[in-house]
Amino acid sequence: AQSVTQLDSHVSVSEGTPVLLRCNYSSSYSPSLFWYVQHPNKGLQLLLKYTSAATLVKGINGFEAEFKKSETSFHLTKPSAHMSDAAEYFCVVREGFQKLVFGTGTRLLVSP
Amino acid sequence: NAGVMQNPRHLVRRRGQEARLRCSPMKGHSHVYWYRQLPEEGLKFMVYLQKENIIDESGMPKERFSAEFPKEGPSILRIQQVVRGDSAAYFCASSPRGLLSYEQYFGPGTRLTVT
């Protein structure tokens, strides 16, 4: 079975500083990996996805993630945090054809 | 193009009552997925449906829960005789095909509170 582990339940940054949200995956084959963002009382929005093409994946709102097979990691980064980035972020792996397996989430707090 | 619609957005039920959650997929999407998010947890897969077919219900509790996606109308997640532990956010997602290349688009969720 596929799984993902989000290493931090909360991350706090100041506006304008870099963001790093960590995710490690476990998969018996080449995985499909995603990052979703959830703003309070809202649905989930896809930030980016990795499907065995380029290992550095660029997403929306300046986010990107790098797939590192040797480290089984798929960390999410952004060079400069914005107040509007404050939200819950989920690292997700696809299991089988269509089932998504979610991590427990990382809450990003951005202070002025 | 309207996104995935879910209603109601908030639902309050007393223990023992029935809860019906509705999901209208995006236009042109014929695949629907239901996920449940318990407080302070990630989403957990419940069921995957195509029109008139249940493809994968491996995440559905064995009792009291059922789902359908009829030929016409929205997909329905039904919870009979609700208990406090059913309180959660229920999210629906849809995709145009059941293939690896198609992402799932999520609705805003229904927040069920059982009193």
Side-chain angles (χ1 to χ4, degrees), chain A residues 3-107:
Chain A
S3 66
V4 288
T5 302
Q6 292 185 246
L7 299 164
D8 307 291
S9 60
H10 293 82
V11 169
S12 294
V13 300
S14 298
E15 191 174 20
T17 64
V19 175
L20 170 64
L21 305 183
R22 298 182 295 166
C23 173
N24 286 105
Y25 69 90
S26 173
S27 175
S28 53
Y29 47 84
S30 184
S32 293
L33 293 159
F34 309 80
W35 276 98
Y36 279 86
V37 61
Q38 183 181 28
H39 287 95
N41 297 314
K42 297 281 181 65
L44 288 89
Q45 182 181 21
L46 180 66
L47 279 178
L48 51 80
K49 61 182 177 182
Y50 167 77
T51 52
S52 73
T55 55
L56 182 62
V57 183
K58 293 189 184 300
I60 62 171
N61 300 335
F63 285 95
E64 61 182 39
E66 186 171 9
F67 174 75
K68 291 187 176 179
K69 186 175 180 179
S70 60
E71 299 176 10
T72 62
S73 69
F74 189 58
H75 301 333
L76 182 70
T77 60
K78 182 173 180 177
S80 176
H82 192 273
M83 295 295 290
S84 61
D85 294 328
E88 188 94 19
Y89 291 79
F90 292 98
C91 183
V92 180
V93 64
R94 193 201 316 261
E95 179 170 296
F97 278 102
Q98 276 298 331
K99 185 188 300 185
L100 298 181
V101 178
F102 283 74
T104 51
T106 297
R107 184 153 296 172

Side-chain angles (χ1 to χ4, degrees), chain B residues 1-54:
Chain B
N1 187 8
V4 178
M5 310 280 283
Q6 290 187 251
N7 67 82
R9 293 291 307 275
H10 300 273
L11 182 61
V12 180
R13 284 286 178 267
R14 285 198 290 270
R15 278 179 298 171
Q17 290 185 319
E18 178 179 288
R20 282 190 179 228
L21 288 62
R22 294 174 187 78
C23 169
S24 296
M26 287 180 70
K27 188 176 180 181
H29 288 194
S30 57
H31 297 247
V32 164
Y33 317 82
W34 286 93
Y35 294 82
R36 176 166 66 175
Q37 184 180 30
L38 294 169
E40 306 300 319
E41 293 188 16
L43 280 73
K44 296 281 197 300
F45 169 82
M46 299 182 75
V47 62
Y48 162 34
L49 311 103
Q50 293 178 30
K51 291 272 187 184
E52 301 183 284
N53 281 305
I54 297 175

